[in-house]
């Protein structure tokens, strides 16, 4: 009807005249025959019923089958949710796919309503009346379903290889090759039985086959052509090619309850009548033409853009040349004003600007800033004896070595002949100033090879700290210079702090190290627990274990103050063993008295993964304590997975095999890479508290949080939000479908007795 309307030749004015006339006639009928309105509606319904009966008769349905349809107006259909484009659930939680389009056609044809149910199980006849997409009818034998006699969809199994693979061109070439196939499919069973020379690798989804081909773990993939072509277009996979077909086809059936033979007959007749419409249905899901059209469109747009660019360039080339020359000149002037001509490092002016910026940043973050003032020892003698060209080359190489010893975020500058500075901002550990200074001194002690000379040089380094030493820029530079001269006075080739602040920190570190050894023997550690709630149900379902040090004189000490020292001294393994033993003991108690599914999550330091044997010994303790692996969740950092050692891979694999869950702590503050999440079977990501803190007031933070949660859910990873302090934050996270919440809004960390009392009130069950 809509297409006929658009094909009509009526003008716009004629159309409105016609519409006006129809409206007047309608009003007249209503005014003259108001009492017959119900009769008219009844007559219309009867006509619709007659049309439906006529349509069902055209299908060849018997009177008994038509009567069956009238008594079954709603039919429940089981849909497999991960089978795109055959049938799947979209991001909008809607059923979509080829079989769904068929169901809509059948609804129009038969006048029934299909209630679609997400189901992967064929056994529950009580909740499902039919199945819309069955690829292997044999599996229905042990269930109470019967497949239709004929498949309604048939797709060839095609052969796909990597684009650089030219060894496979047809089915016969698969012999003695490694081939990826869908796990437990009919074609897999046939290949196993009839072609034993083909080495098969079972995969769950097409994406697994793509990954295996990209990693050259398999030579080819044999898969359903419709599914593979659809997925490659949707996912933008460009490195595979279709090289041929197999003798096999994927056949898709509909199946019905075994006690509904009439429905089976009706369904088969209806599908047979829809056969002429199959091409139209499938065309909607064939994305190859869309992809080709898009490619041609892009080529056309690029061509037009190039032509336009050439025209514009030729029309304004003189003007553009002048602008470019001006820009180059300005950039050259700016670079000369801000960077050292010899080393290309920031010069004194840029150094001052960077130092001011870093001080402002330090004031915002409340993190200290360190300044290193570096002066080469006896550089004047090298210039005098070997000449300035050699001295210049030495300065260039010294600059490279110093830059190689500092972080990428630090600023290395040359502020004089043989004077360099390093600005180290946002220091979480001021000891890094000392470590960096030692590294610089060691690198500079190595010989410099400047043909034909081997030159040895040392340096003296002065160190100041903002705001400990001063809050003024000029004083900070002056104090660093004075500290550098003090280092020279004490014998050169060394570093020196302007004040005793670092020395005091060193003494404190030494004291903490000794006290830590005593703490292990004296049992000064205590475990606190912070509840984690299910944001959907508000139930407390797990808790994070947080170690505290009950120091005999300093009181409670948080991990921030002693864990890094424990890592450096090797005591982290002993502390980690105590933590794990305590977690198991407390998990057994909480599961017994509060919830059998209660889980405790705890942090494992990257340093602990270096002792593989010790960490793996924990798994045996689970069974010894009568606990399942699901009683614990291991929290690790993002950095541990970016370049994992074999030891890390093995430890994580063993924990996963034992049933433990894996969580990524402080997600979003580091590299936030996505690939490793699925690669290592990560169960949770813990959204860093810095995101939660700003979520109420910063739109960018809200967008980023929602995107991370959505991304994690698509990877079937759950999200825990840390640091929830307000109801507004919690409400936003619920809106974004965040799974779990943790923070002071719910509760501060508590000892086990306090946590038990908390659970008594909170009702975990």
């Amino acid at each position: 009807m809509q297409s006929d309307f658009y094909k009509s030749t009526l003008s716009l004015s004629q159309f409105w005249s016609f519409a006006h006339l129809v409206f007047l006639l309608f009003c007249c009928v209503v005014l003259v025959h108001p009492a017959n309105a119900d009769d008219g509606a009844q007559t219309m319904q009867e006509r619709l019923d007659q049309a439906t009966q006529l349509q069902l008769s055209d299908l060849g349905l018997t009177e008994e089958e038509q009567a069956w349809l009238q008594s079954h107006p709603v039919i429940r259909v089981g849909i497999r949710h991960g089978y795109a484009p055959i049938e799947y659930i979209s991001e909008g939680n809607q059923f979509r796919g080829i079989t769904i389009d068929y169901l809509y056609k059948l609804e129009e044809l038969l006048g029934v309503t299909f209630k679609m149910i997400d189901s992967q199980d064929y056994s529950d006849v009580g909740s499902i009346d039919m199945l819309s997409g069955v690829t292997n009818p044999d599996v229905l034998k042990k269930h109470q379903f019967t497949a239709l006699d004929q498949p309604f969809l048939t797709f060839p199994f095609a052969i796909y290889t990597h684009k650089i693979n030219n060894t496979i061109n047809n089915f016969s070439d698969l012999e003695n090759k490694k081939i990826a196939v869908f796990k437990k499919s009919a074609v897999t069973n046939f290949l196993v039985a009839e072609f034993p020379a083909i080495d098969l690798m079972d995969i769950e989804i097409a994406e697994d086959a793509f990954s295996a081909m990209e990693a050259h773990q398999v030579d080819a993939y044999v898969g359903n052509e419709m599914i593979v072509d659809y997925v490659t277009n949707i996912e933008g996979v460009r490195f595979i090619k279709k090289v041929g077909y197999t003798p096999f086809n994927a056949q898709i059936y509909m199946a019905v309850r075994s006690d509904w033979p009439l429905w089976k007959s009706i369904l088969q007749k209806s599908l047979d009548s829809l056969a002429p419409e199959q091409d139209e249905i499938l065309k909607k899901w064939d994305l190859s033409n869309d992809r080709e059209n898009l490619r041609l469109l892009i080529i056309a747009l690029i061509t037009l853009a190039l032509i336009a660019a050439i025209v514009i360039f030729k029309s304004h080339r003189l003007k553009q040349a002048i602008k470019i020359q001006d820009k180059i000149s300005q950039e050259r002037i700016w670079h000369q004003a801000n960077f050292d001509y010899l080393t290309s490092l920031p010069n004194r002016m840029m150094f001052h600007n960077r130092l001011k910026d870093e001080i402002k940043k330090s004031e915002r973050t409340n993190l200290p800033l360190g300044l290193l003032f570096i002066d080469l020892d006896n550089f004047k003698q090298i210039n005098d004896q070997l000449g300035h060209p050699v001295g210049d080359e030495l300065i260039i190489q010294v600059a490279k070595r110093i830059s190689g010893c500092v972080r990428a975020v630090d600023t290395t500058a040359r502020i004089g002949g043989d004077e360099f500075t390093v600005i180290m901002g946002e220091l979480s550990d001021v000891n890094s100033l000392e470590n960096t200074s030692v590294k610089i001194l060691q690198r500079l002690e190595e010989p410099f090879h400047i043909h034909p000379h081997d030159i040895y040089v040392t340096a003296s380094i002065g160190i100041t700290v903002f705001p400990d030493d001063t809050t003024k820029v000029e004083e900070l530079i002056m104090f660093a210079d004075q500290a550098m001269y003090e280092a020279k006075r004490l014998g050169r080739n060394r570093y020196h702090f302007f004040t005793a602040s670092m020395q005091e920190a060193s003494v404190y570190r030494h004291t903490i190290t000794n006290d830590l050894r005593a703490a292990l023997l004296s049992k000064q550690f205590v475990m606190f627990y912070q509840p984690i709630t299910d944001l959907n149900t508000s139930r407390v379902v797990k808790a994070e274990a947080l170690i505290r040090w009950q120091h005999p004189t300093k009181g409670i000490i948080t991990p921030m103050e002693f864990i890094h020292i424990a890592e450096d001294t090797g005591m982290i393994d002993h502390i980690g063993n105590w933590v794990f033993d305590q977690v198991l003991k407390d998990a057994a108690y909480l599961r017994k008295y509060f919830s059998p599914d209660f889980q405790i999550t705890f942090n494992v330091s990257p340093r602990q993964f270096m002792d593989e044997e010790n960490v793996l010994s924990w798994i045996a303790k689970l069974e010894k304590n009568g606990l399942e692996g699901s009683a614990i969740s291991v929290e690790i950092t993002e950095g541990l997975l970016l370049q994992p050692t074999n030891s890390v891979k093995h430890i994580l694999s063993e924990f996963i095999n034992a049933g433990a869950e894996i969580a990524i702590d402080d997600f979003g503050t580091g590299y936030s890479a996505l690939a490793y999440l699925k690669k290592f079977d990560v169960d949770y990501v813990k959204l860093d508290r810095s995101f939660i803190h700003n979520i109420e007031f910063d739109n960018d933070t809200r967008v980023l949080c929602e995107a991370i949660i959505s991304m994690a859910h698509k990877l079937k990873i759950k999200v825990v939000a840390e640091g929830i302090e307000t109801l507004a934050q919690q409400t936003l996270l619920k809106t974004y479908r965040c799974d779990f919440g943790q923070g002071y809004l719910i509760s501060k960390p508590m000892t086990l007795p306090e946590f038990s009392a908390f659970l008594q009130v909170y009702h975990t069950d």
Side-chain angles (χ1 to χ4, degrees), residues 31 44 237 244 248 281 324 380 405 597 617 663 740 758:
L31 291 173
M44 180 61 70
V237 179
F248 318 111
I281 295 174
I324 292 172
K380 185 177 183 300
C405 294
D597 298 321
S617 69
F740 301 98
F758 173 83

Side-chain angles (χ1 to χ4, degrees), residues 462-476:
I463 307 172
T464 51
V465 180
F466 172 93
D468 297 359
D469 296 331
T470 181
T471 58
K472 298 179 180 180
V473 174
E474 294 302 328
E475 286 185 353
L476 199 66

Side-chain angles (χ1 to χ4, degrees), residues 204-205 207-208 211 641 656 662 664 667 673-685 711-718:
E204 297 285 352
I205 56 176
E207 287 85 344
D208 291 343
S211 297
L641 299 184
I656 292 171
I662 306 298
I664 303 298
F667 185 79
L674 308 181
Y676 64 77
L677 294 179
K678 206 60 183 172
K679 182 178 179 181
F680 288 91
D681 290 328
V682 172
D683 300 288
Y684 304 91
V685 294
M711 170 208 70
H713 286 170
K714 288 179 182 178
L715 294 175
K716 297 187 174 11
I717 296 173
K718 296 183 178 180

